[in-house]
Amino acid sequence: QVQVAESGGGLVQVGGSMRLSCAASGRTFSTSVMGWFRQAPGKEREFVAAIRWSVDSTYVADSVKGRFTISRDSAKNTVYLQMNGLKPEDTAVYYCAAARRSPATTQGDYTYWGRGTQVTVSS
């Protein structure tokens, strides 16, 4: 089993920045990719970004490209989502997840999920 836990959410003003963290524990060697998804009220959960543990390969959704950056610290089994230039439409619960195989850009690709962290962008 793999456990995934997000942290770093909260309230931020439009145009501000925020960094989310995702710590993975347990049998992390069984996972290949870590990803971030988000779900706004009344909307479907959508892919945000993903990164592979073993190589410098990232995937970023077009909706956040140029504003959001995903990175990892393999020694700490931690993945980060740096969010800049935040907009009200970025308000959502952000979920971190782990996948066994790459590529992984859809919900079905991921096996282990965190409980989510709320990000609210205030105007």
Side-chain angles (χ1 to χ4, degrees), residues 9-13 18 86-88 90-92 94 118-122:
L11 178 65
V12 63
Q13 291 189 332
M18 180 177 286
L86 283 162
K87 305 175 181 180
D90 295 318
T91 295
Y94 283 71
Q118 177 70 46
V119 172
T120 302
V121 183
S122 172

Side-chain angles (χ1 to χ4, degrees), residues 39 61-62 75-76 87 92 108-109 121:
Q39 187 167 18
D62 288 342
K76 296 181 179 180
K87 305 175 181 180
D109 295 326
V121 183

Side-chain angles (χ1 to χ4, degrees), residues 6-123:
E6 308 92 341
S7 61
L11 178 65
V12 63
Q13 291 189 332
V14 170
S17 298
M18 180 177 286
R19 189 177 80 159
L20 303 181
S21 300
C22 172
S25 59
R27 299 170 62 89
T28 57
F29 58 84
S30 68
T31 62
S32 176
V33 181
M34 297 295 292
W36 286 97
F37 288 75
R38 67 184 182 183
Q39 187 167 18
K43 294 189 176 182
E44 297 288 322
R45 191 173 298 186
E46 65 172 350
F47 170 78
V48 175
I51 189 167
R52 294 177 64 179
W53 281 120
S54 59
V55 297
D56 289 332
S57 178
T58 62
Y59 313 86
V60 181
D62 288 342
S63 59
V64 302
K65 195 169 290 182
R67 299 188 298 122
F68 289 13
T69 303
I70 188 169
S71 61
R72 56 166 162 69
D73 184 334
S74 298
K76 296 181 179 180
N77 288 334
T78 300
V79 174
Y80 305 98
L81 185 68
Q82 178 66 44
M83 305 183 293
N84 300 327
L86 283 162
K87 305 175 181 180
E89 52 263 42
D90 295 318
T91 295
V93 177
Y94 283 71
Y95 296 90
C96 181
R100 293 196 181 102
R101 287 178 290 275
S102 175
T105 58
T106 67
Q107 290 189 64
D109 295 326
Y110 289 82
T111 304
Y112 307 101
W113 290 82
R115 295 185 176 183
T117 185
Q118 177 70 46
V119 172
T120 302
V121 183
S122 172
S123 56

